[in-house]
Amino acid sequence: DSYNPYENMRRGIEYLAELKKMYNNDIFAYAAYNAGFANVDNWVENGWKGEIDKIQYPETKKFVESVTLSLKKIKENDWEDY
């Protein structure tokens, strides 16, 4: 049931884990989670190396920036401005 928040979260986590395993690259995985793996595959085939500033979709760029910043804050235990 995709409307069940727990099931939705579990499936999202499983999907992200699959993408991380598929790409072996966190930035690629986050971008694929948001923009779709076919788009990321196309970008990589055209020379994209995971530079966040070169992500072609503004929404995906913002998503990847947000995820990476959040993870950085979690790892640093820096919640002051969060």
Side-chain angles (χ1 to χ4, degrees), residues 15 19 29-36 57 59-61 63-64:
Y15 181 55
L19 292 170
Y30 304 148
Y33 185 89
N34 187 264
Y57 298 163
E59 177 187 328
T60 300
K61 179 181 176 189
F63 176 80
V64 173

Side-chain angles (χ1 to χ4, degrees), residues 9-75:
M9 188 182 302
R10 184 183 67 77
R11 286 185 180 182
I13 290 167
E14 288 173 355
Y15 181 55
L16 182 58
E18 287 176 28
L19 292 170
K20 289 177 91 170
K21 186 176 180 179
M22 180 173 138
Y23 287 109
N24 197 31
N25 179 302
D26 290 349
I27 300 300
F28 289 4
Y30 304 148
Y33 185 89
N34 187 264
F37 65 86
N39 288 314
V40 171
D41 288 350
N42 186 38
W43 300 343
V44 171
E45 287 173 13
N46 286 297
W48 184 58
K49 301 203 182 333
E51 308 94 323
I52 294 173
D53 63 324
K54 293 185 179 176
I55 293 174
Q56 298 177 15
Y57 298 163
E59 177 187 328
T60 300
K61 179 181 176 189
K62 185 175 180 179
F63 176 80
V64 173
E65 287 172 338
S66 177
V67 170
T68 54
L69 178 61
S70 296
L71 289 172
K72 181 180 180 218
K73 287 183 174 285
I74 289 168
K75 288 177 183 176

Side-chain angles (χ1 to χ4, degrees), residues 1-12:
D1 177 11
S2 63
Y3 293 102
N4 177 320
Y6 299 105
E7 181 67 18
N8 190 295
M9 188 182 302
R10 184 183 67 77
R11 286 185 180 182

